[in-house]
Amino acid sequence: MQAANPRRGYILGLTAYIIWGLFPIYFKAIAAVPAVEIIVHRVLWSALFGSLLLLFWKHPGWWRELRDNPRRLAILALSGTLIASNWLVYVWAVNNGRMVEASLGYYINPLVNVLLGMLLLGERLRRLQWAAVALAAIGVAQQVWHVGSLPWVSLVLALTFGFYGLIRKQAPVAALPGLVVETWMLVPLAIGWMLLNPLAASAQPEFYTNTQALWLIAAGPITLVPLVSFNAAARHLPYTTLGFLQYLAPTLVLLQAVLLFGEHLSSSTLVAFMFIWAGLALYSVDIWLSLRRRS
């Protein structure tokens, strides 16, 4: 077994979260393509490139384990549906000027994970965790009160990704084989969409003579590279360290939204962010204190 290398782990972890954080630049480059069509191509090219990568990056016995445990295949079908839904809402949000809401969703996500653990896995929350979840709830409630409606983009992104992680825990499959199986299970739906939409831009042969086609094909490696980096980083770093690094991605999305793409950050939304940031700070302190007690 390869010895842990924290420096390599940090580099790989930063690579993964910086790429995820810069995804909006990629999706803005193909904003002319409808969000559903982008996800169809993301599924198709991720399935293809993922399968090619599996030929070189060996995961011995992964298919035999899945074949002998049909329940895991059913779980991966469900998790694949959740991650595709997450992708769809995220791409739609980026290309419809809702990046601030998208970043808010990924800030909420760690606290949603804590709540799901309590409600569905019977985990008990410590006092600081209760306070962290309460602060995030106040932030969301403040947005509802000011805007008059739920910040549905944020909540859908946080909940779909939260349930995705929860469900994947029930199917202990390595990240890359898991993603490949998830995407291949979605391939029939993607092909069906293409057949039912013969007038779609990417269904026309001439579409593949312009640069937009290259951007869509790039969805495969762009999806896989950060996943592979994250998977490798997890072997060199404690999972709690990766948990702290994950705040980098929504921070980059928020900065791009305001500084690069001119989205407005209202004072009410900033107040909501402050409550959620305070909740994340408490959550981080709780993890640190828990680790100190164990050591």
Side-chain angles (χ1 to χ4, degrees), residues 7-200:
R7 183 180 179 186
R8 180 181 297 174
Y10 276 114
I11 292 171
L12 289 166
L14 286 171
T15 298
Y17 283 113
I18 287 172
I19 292 174
W20 279 327
L22 295 178
F23 264 8
I25 294 174
Y26 166 71
F27 290 125
K28 288 286 188 183
I30 48 175
V33 181
V36 174
E37 197 168 348
I38 292 173
I39 299 309
V40 164
H41 281 272
R42 193 172 184 181
V43 166
L44 294 172
W45 296 111
S46 294
L48 176 61
F49 282 98
S51 300
L52 292 173
L53 192 55
L54 268 180
L55 295 176
F56 299 98
W57 193 21
K58 302 295 184 183
H59 287 75
W62 68 270
W63 175 246
R64 185 174 60 254
E65 288 181 17
L66 284 177
R67 186 194 60 203
D68 296 341
N69 295 274
R71 180 175 172 274
R72 291 186 187 178
L73 283 171
I75 289 171
L76 287 173
L78 180 56
S79 63
T81 303
L82 282 169
I83 198 63
S85 303
N86 183 275
W87 289 350
L88 179 60
V89 173
Y90 182 74
V91 173
W92 180 88
V94 168
N95 288 343
N96 284 272
R98 309 283 283 270
M99 285 171 59
V100 169
E101 287 181 60
S103 67
L104 180 64
Y106 287 114
Y107 277 123
I108 295 172
N109 177 246
L111 302 177
V112 166
N113 291 343
V114 171
L115 202 56
L116 290 177
M118 180 194 72
L119 296 175
L120 301 178
L121 300 180
E123 297 175 359
R124 297 182 65 182
L125 299 192
R126 296 183 288 270
R127 276 180 293 181
L128 282 181
Q129 290 179 320
W130 273 115
V133 171
L135 283 169
I138 291 170
V140 173
Q142 189 269 346
Q143 275 290 87
V144 172
W145 176 77
H146 188 269
V147 179
S149 61
L150 283 172
W152 70 268
V153 169
S154 307
L155 293 176
V156 168
L157 289 174
L159 288 169
T160 52
F161 205 71
F163 275 104
Y164 172 76
L166 187 70
I167 288 170
R168 279 299 301 270
K169 282 181 181 291
Q170 313 306 312
V173 183
L176 180 60
L179 182 71
V180 170
V181 173
E182 285 169 348
T183 50
W184 272 106
M185 286 183 165
L186 293 168
V187 163
L189 292 176
I191 293 174
W193 187 91
M194 295 289 284
L195 293 174
L196 291 171
N197 292 272
L199 299 180

Side-chain angles (χ1 to χ4, degrees), residues 228-240:
V228 172
S229 298
F230 174 83
N231 194 34
R235 294 199 295 270
H236 295 284
L237 291 175
Y239 204 71
T240 48

